[in-house]
Amino acid sequence: MEQRKQPYILQEEPGVKYYCACGLSGNLPYCDGSHKGTGKHPFKVEIEEPKTVAICGCGQSKNLPFCDGTHTTL
Ligand code: FES
């Protein structure tokens, strides 16, 4: 995942989301298929109701793909 020291704050609508796990996507934090050949796969998350989510941008969260605040220690 890319090195960024803050999460992506997103207002998500219900549906299945694929968040990038390899950091190569041209559409971060979403998967754009760029992981092919890396052995990594996107995080699949089902959003059941409209809500705000914080997706980790630093790659160090222990609860990926979500931010757990670890970025504040970097
Ligand atoms: S952005 Fe990675 S833990 Fe917050």
Side-chain angles (χ1 to χ4, degrees):
M1 188 167 271
E2 76 164 321
Q3 286 303 303
R4 177 182 149 109
K5 292 189 176 173
Q6 58 185 357
Y8 296 91
I9 306 298
L10 307 171
Q11 185 64 48
E12 294 287 35
E13 296 298 322
V16 177
K17 315 295 178 181
Y18 292 90
Y19 297 111
C20 178
C22 72
L24 300 175
S25 174
N27 187 33
L28 290 169
Y30 300 103
C31 173
D32 74 351
S34 296
H35 61 274
K36 287 189 177 69
T38 66
K40 295 189 175 183
H41 302 282
F43 297 101
K44 179 182 178 183
V45 176
E46 182 160 5
I47 304 288
E48 297 183 350
E49 57 189 36
K51 65 178 177 180
T52 301
V53 297
I55 301 300
C56 178
C58 75
Q60 303 301 310
S61 171
K62 293 176 180 60
N63 187 33
L64 290 170
F66 301 103
C67 171
D68 71 353
T70 298
H71 65 272
T72 61
T73 68
L74 301 178

